[in-house]
Amino acid sequence: MSLKERTKAKYDEQWASQDERASAQRRKSLSMVSDPLLSMVHPLSGKVVVDLGIGTGSLAFRAMELCPPKRMIGIDFSGPGLCVARGISRSERFKDMDFDVLRADLERLPISNRSVDVVLSQATINLLPDKAAAMKEIARITRSGARVAISDAFKTTKCSEGGSWEQCIGGAVTVGEFSSLALNAGLIISGQVDLTQQVKSLVASKKWDWPEFVQHNMDYRGFLLLRS
Ligand SMILES: C[S@@+](CC[C@H](N)C(=O)[O-])C[C@H]1O[C@@H](n2cnc3c(N)ncnc32)[C@H](O)[C@@H]1O
């Protein structure tokens, strides 16, 4: 199985076992990590927003709770995740908001050039074998001046080697490598937030089932990138 096939199988299984209620609980728990990231792109009113690797929507629906955008598009290759997200979008809270999902690979986005104002992504970029392709796709679909908020686990010198790819550890990069990926795509880092302690406390309280993050001594950071 390729890295992508293994990743898809892992998340298909994880999201198939999570209903809308469990997803709402995940959204609530993860808000201590999502909110600092979302504050970097707030307010979203009037904006076309894309969430890359939406899963069941913990970041996208939190963003919609805080400030409904003009349009929210969630992209993921996991059918079960998108199915839960679609269900949540029909609930009383979100049914009048413009929300859509697209099933696609993040390295080839089915979105037209320069049509997006804000890109969001939480705990997903590490799962992509070709991160350079994904960053170029982000640059392609965004308008000049667009804002991109990405958070994920990062490797530092204190991290232990190895770690599973599907758990966002094996494919993690350093901040230096991430900056180069962004810069090569035409995206400039204009802010960052260290969320390591928040993730550690979520793992310790079993609100985020991600023990590998602590075992491998990873950092978790959020970045604001600007599209030049
Ligand atoms: C760790 S989950 C994070 C989900 C969500 N962002 C959250 O914070 O709850 C990563 C998501 O990325 C998706 N994903 C991983 N690789 C992908 C790819 N190449 N194309 C599309 N989606 C991908 C997975 O299916 C999964 O839903």
Side-chain angles (χ1 to χ4, degrees), residues 81-151:
L82 296 180
C83 190
V84 175
R86 244 188 242 108
I88 295 170
S89 74
R90 292 187 195 113
S91 66
E92 194 56 35
R93 178 103 199 226
F94 301 112
K95 70 177 173 35
D96 296 325
M97 299 185 196
D98 188 346
F99 174 85
D100 204 358
V101 291
L102 296 172
R103 189 168 167 178
D105 189 326
L106 301 180
E107 293 170 10
R108 282 181 57 189
L109 298 172
I111 304 252
S112 30
N113 294 353
R114 297 185 170 249
S115 58
V116 171
D117 303 299
V118 175
V119 172
L120 307 173
S121 188
Q122 178 171 276
T124 296
I125 297 294
N126 283 355
L127 298 168
L128 307 178
D130 191 348
K131 295 174 181 47
M135 297 301 268
K136 281 188 187 131
E137 279 294 83
I138 293 174
R140 179 185 66 75
I141 64 167
T142 44
R143 297 183 214 281
S144 180
R147 290 169 299 159
V148 178
I150 293 177
S151 73

Side-chain angles (χ1 to χ4, degrees), residues 45-67:
S45 36
K47 307 284 186 201
V48 175
V49 183
V50 171
D51 182 2
L52 300 179
I54 183 174
T56 60
S58 51
L59 183 62
F61 292 115
R62 181 64 186 149
M64 288 159 72
E65 277 173 346
L66 291 169
C67 180

Side-chain angles (χ1 to χ4, degrees), residues 4 7-8 10-12 14-15 26 30 34 51-59 75-78 81 104-107 121-124 127-129 166 168 208 220:
K4 266 189 203 170
T7 302
K8 185 174 174 307
K10 192 256 178 210
Y11 287 98
D12 279 354
Q14 178 169 330
W15 302 141
R26 178 182 164 92
L30 266 55
S34 310
D51 182 2
L52 300 179
I54 183 174
T56 60
S58 51
L59 183 62
I75 306 182
D76 206 290
F77 64 7
S78 169
D105 189 326
L106 301 180
E107 293 170 10
S121 188
Q122 178 171 276
T124 296
L127 298 168
L128 307 178
E166 303 91 296
C168 289
W208 198 345
Y220 194 97

